[in-house]
Amino acid sequence: MWRLPGARAALRGVRTAVERHSRAEAATETAAGAMERAVVRCVPSEPKLSLSFALADGSHKNMQRDQSEPLGRALSRIATNALKGHAKAAAAKKSRKNRPNASGGVSCAGPGPEPAAACEPVVKLYYREEAVAEDVLNVDAWQDGAVLQIGDVKYKVERNPPAFTELQLPRYIMAGFPVCPKLGVEFGDPAGSLFRWYKETKPGAAEPEGGGPSSLSPSSPSPGWTETDVDERVYTPSNADIGLRLKLHCTPGNGQRFGPSRELESVCPVEAGPGTCTFDHRHLYTKKVTDDALIRTVSYNILADTYAQTEFSRTVLYPYCAPYALELDYRQNLIQKELTGYNADLICLQEVDRNVFTDSLVPALEAFGLEGVFRIKQHEGLATFYRKSKFSLLSQHDIPFHEALQSDPLHKELLEKLALYPSAQERVLQRSSVLQVSVLQSTKDSSKKICVANTHLYWHPKGGYIRLIQMAIALAHIRHVSCDLYPSIPVIFCGDFNSTPSTGMYHFVISGNIPEDHEDWTSNGEEERCNMSLTHFFKLKSACGEPAYTNYVGGFHGCLDYIFIDLNALEVEQVIPLPTHEEVTTHQALPSVSHPSDHLALVCDLKWK
């Protein structure tokens, strides 16, 4: 077991020292015949515990035993396994001795009788140098620091050391784009773990001085791998890495205690990147995380894979986009690089596939200090990420619009108005749109809380009246959260609202009312007319103004995305410029090989009044 002195903040500074110490310690212990490692996983909520150790024949045993079982039964089973292992080892040794030598003869063990049949080895468990009674239950017997003896071999028991439950590298890796491994750590956390990156040695390349990585320790990468100078979770390959595979050696930990290390190799070599991307220039404005007085906020429809991969998308919506640039593995690289480069405090995303959230966004953004929550809609959903050093999540108040309208008393009056128009009501209740609402609290000042809302309204061009109804539901629900549940907390409302500044939805949000004779009430014809007047009490503003467009595809461009802010409590410090029109149209339209979505991200710095 390794232990680190000092606080977790000192972890990075002592990584190399710890690794060197552990290698030296391992070499010393091996020379002295030190104990092997037996890892026990014992969780109160599970009926069984697991035991993992290596046998004399080199095989690795993983056993599952009832926690309520007496220790004696578990030791008896271990003895049986060990006997088989010893028998295999002896057979292998005998086979080697009887193997023909170089001159064609047979090498024998020498004169004398054959050894007696192997006896079952003595198996005991000791704790503080005393044998543990065989009637003690497994759950109590297998303590951290106990010693398991199998014959002449001793194992140091490690109960619930940090361990990886999941470890995965992305399939598609590009030069200049961060590689963010997906990690699951039990009894530890990624921030307290150790990482070391390697890359393949180019054919014909000279070995490093001192023998290279193979001289480090038995567990170090074998020849053919060169150690990089990166000991962080995220590695960004350079152009020099193109054509080479990567290897990650990582040790799970919690800052003080460390578990068994694992190694992971990339499936494919590093490929060349696309060159300059639409967001590269924007990153010049967001090189650092903002100070505590500011809240850098991003709203972005990242284009769900479930939509990008349809035949309709490839041939009708985005025929100008290279097919490989619509592939998820490719687009994920661009999305990760773009989002991490903004150094944001809040990120509200739309059109997020569930697997993209768990396998791509969470690992990438977590490595850069953000934590996220997800809300499924139907085929995709919404995600809200927040910087952990600035905010903690107090509560979530997500709703599907159609369910809230029917069941929540907050919307009783609106439902009664809509009931006068059965055709319109039916269409509204068919929509699956949802609202994601998260209440965050400042980690620096607990009196500062904020309501962050995120949505993606109905998309159809003729659905103006549906979007008005959805927005009325959203604002009523946000008011309940920000006034009734958490009195007088400010609101940030992000999303893809599928509404240009000339629409009734935008007018309703900004002005606080919509008259019953507005043309959007007949957006889908007289049959679905649903004239009504609506009001809300918020004083909201579009933080990024009214850009010429936030969505740019072959057949349409317009401003559909907004970050609405509460003017009573927040003001805009800075709006990060959008890509130039030349950058957007370099490859005709969006998405493209240099931009992962058909939308542009809105980015601004907000501050408390």
Side-chain angles (χ1 to χ4, degrees):
M1 183 191 304
W2 301 335
R3 292 195 179 275
L4 279 173
R8 183 180 298 177
L11 178 63
R12 183 178 177 185
V14 297
R15 284 179 192 272
T16 304
V18 170
E19 289 174 330
R20 287 174 180 166
H21 171 73
S22 66
R23 290 196 289 265
E25 189 178 68
T28 303
E29 288 182 353
T30 300
M35 287 182 284
E36 300 280 351
R37 167 186 256 168
V39 176
V40 173
R41 181 182 180 278
C42 185
V43 180
S45 60
E46 299 177 8
K48 293 182 180 291
L49 61 74
S50 64
L51 174 63
S52 176
F53 57 92
L55 285 175
D57 66 341
S59 64
H60 203 83
K61 290 296 178 183
N62 292 291
M63 301 175 61
Q64 297 279 328
R65 309 301 298 181
D66 288 334
Q67 293 192 28
S68 58
E69 174 190 62
L71 171 65
R73 293 184 187 176
L75 296 181
S76 176
R77 182 62 180 170
I78 292 172
T80 301
N81 284 331
L83 180 60
K84 293 177 182 177
H86 282 299
K88 287 182 181 179
K93 184 176 181 181
K94 182 177 181 180
S95 175
R96 286 194 300 271
K97 286 182 177 180
N98 292 333
R99 192 175 301 150
N101 58 28
S103 62
V106 176
S107 173
C108 300
E114 288 292 317
C119 299
E120 187 171 290
V122 175
V123 178
K124 289 283 187 180
L125 182 67
Y126 297 90
Y127 187 64
R128 294 177 179 171
E129 300 184 354
E130 292 186 9
V132 181
E134 294 192 354
D135 60 351
V136 175
L137 302 184
N138 280 328
V139 65
D140 300 315
W142 297 95
Q143 295 296 319
D144 195 53
V147 174
L148 171 65
Q149 182 169 354
I150 304 176
D152 296 330
V153 182
K154 291 183 178 180
Y155 299 81
K156 185 175 183 179
V157 174
E158 296 185 22
R159 177 165 170 150
N160 295 341
F164 290 115
T165 57
E166 191 169 23
L167 188 60
Q168 184 179 339
L169 288 176
R171 189 178 71 87
Y172 201 87
I173 298 175
M174 294 195 298
F177 289 73
V179 181
C180 307
K182 182 182 180 184
L183 299 178
V185 186
E186 189 175 42
F187 313 120
D189 62 85
S193 302
L194 301 175
F195 303 93
R196 178 68 65 182
W197 288 90
Y198 299 81
K199 59 183 177 181
E200 279 184 314
T201 303
K202 291 182 179 180
E207 286 290 328
E209 289 186 17
S214 58
S215 68
L216 297 179
S217 73
S219 63
S220 296
S222 59
W225 295 96
T226 302
E227 185 173 341
T228 71
D229 60 356
V230 177
D231 60 358
E232 302 291 343
R233 175 176 174 178
V234 177
Y235 178 75
T236 302
S238 67
N239 287 338
D241 298 332
I242 293 174
L244 305 178
R245 291 189 305 130
L246 302 179
K247 177 182 280 190
L248 174 63
H249 179 93
C250 40
T251 305
N254 56 20
Q256 292 184 317
R257 188 182 184 200
F258 293 85
S261 299
R262 285 179 60 182
E263 287 184 346
L264 193 63
E265 297 177 14
S266 64
V267 176
C268 300
V270 177
E271 298 192 19
T276 303
C277 292
T278 53
F279 44 80
D280 287 339
H281 185 257
R282 307 185 78 189
H283 287 170
L284 298 178
Y285 297 85
T286 61
K287 288 183 176 181
K288 297 180 180 179
V289 175
T290 61
D291 61 38
D292 293 337
L294 299 178
I295 307 170
R296 178 164 297 147
T297 304
V298 175
S299 183
Y300 194 9
N301 179 327
I302 62 172
L303 179 58
D305 182 57
T306 190
Y307 304 142
Q309 287 302 303
T310 65
E311 186 65 23
F312 182 73
S313 293
R314 288 191 291 266
T315 60
V316 179
L317 290 180
Y318 319 122
Y320 47 81
C321 184
Y324 74 87
L326 285 175
E327 294 288 339
L328 179 60
D329 287 330
Y330 180 87
R331 291 198 305 117
Q332 282 184 141
N333 276 274
L334 272 66
I335 291 169
Q336 288 179 355
K337 183 177 182 181
E338 179 172 9
L339 291 177
T340 56
Y342 289 138
N343 284 305
D345 303 313
L346 294 176
I347 301 178
C348 290
L349 304 175
Q350 304 85 43
E351 287 198 24
V352 181
D353 302 274
R354 186 189 293 276
N355 67 314
V356 169
F357 176 80
T358 57
D359 298 345
S360 174
L361 294 173
V362 168
L365 295 175
E366 180 184 74
F368 287 85
L370 292 102
E371 195 164 273
V373 290
F374 179 73
R375 172 69 197 209
I376 192 70
K377 183 174 70 174
Q378 194 171 17
H379 304 295
E380 37 81 13
L382 306 167
T384 297
F385 288 86
Y386 55 92
R387 184 163 298 281
K388 292 186 288 185
S389 63
K390 286 191 176 184
F391 296 105
S392 60
L393 179 66
L394 283 186
S395 57
Q396 294 173 255
H397 308 271
D398 306 344
I399 58 166
F401 288 123
H402 64 289
E403 290 183 11
L405 178 61
Q406 290 177 293
S407 61
D408 195 327
L410 277 174
H411 315 297
K412 180 182 178 182
E413 183 180 346
L414 178 60
L415 182 61
E416 290 174 348
K417 289 181 179 180
L418 188 59
L420 301 175
Y421 308 96
S423 295
Q425 177 178 270
E426 182 181 1
R427 287 290 302 278
V428 169
L429 295 179
Q430 287 173 347
R431 306 277 66 84
S432 60
S433 307
V434 298
L435 174 72
Q436 184 181 45
V437 179
S438 308
V439 176
L440 305 177
Q441 178 175 273
S442 168
T443 57
K444 304 296 192 298
D445 182 352
S446 60
S447 67
K448 285 186 175 180
K449 300 177 181 66
I450 195 161
C451 177
V452 181
N454 182 21
T455 196
H456 186 187
L457 299 187
Y458 180 49
W459 65 273
H460 199 284
K462 294 184 178 180
Y465 78 89
I466 295 177
R467 288 186 284 276
L468 275 170
I469 298 295
Q470 290 180 337
M471 181 52 75
I473 298 169
L475 292 173
H477 184 72
I478 294 169
R479 178 179 181 177
H480 172 62
V481 174
S482 64
C483 294
D484 300 337
L485 301 182
Y486 297 91
S488 303
I489 66 171
V491 171
I492 298 176
F493 192 4
C494 301
D496 175 358
F497 297 90
N498 275 309
S499 306
T500 63
S502 64
T503 59
M505 196 288 308
Y506 186 81
H507 176 82
F508 176 44
V509 172
I510 299 301
S511 68
N513 66 84
I514 189 78
E516 63 180 21
D517 60 351
H518 193 282
E519 62 182 3
D520 275 13
W521 291 123
T522 57
S523 60
N524 201 31
E526 289 294 324
E527 184 179 337
E528 293 179 21
R529 173 191 289 272
C530 55
N531 298 84
M532 62 182 81
S533 61
L534 300 173
T535 60
H536 71 81
F537 92 112
F538 286 109
K539 188 178 180 183
L540 299 173
K541 169 189 175 180
S542 173
C544 297
E546 302 171 6
Y549 53 81
T550 59
N551 175 237
Y552 198 103
V553 294
F556 170 84
H557 65 272
C559 180
L560 304 178
D561 306 84
Y562 307 95
I563 298 174
F564 294 118
I565 62 170
D566 187 343
L567 284 176
N568 291 324
L570 299 168
E571 58 184 327
V572 180
E573 175 74 10
Q574 174 187 212
V575 175
I576 308 305
L578 289 168
T580 65
H581 185 67
E582 182 182 8
E583 290 172 323
V584 171
T585 58
T586 298
H587 302 282
Q588 189 173 337
L590 305 178
S592 69
V593 295
S594 62
H595 192 81
S597 174
D598 54 349
H599 285 250
L600 298 170
L602 295 176
V603 188
C604 63
D605 293 346
L606 308 174
K607 65 179 179 180
W608 307 83
K609 280 190 174 179

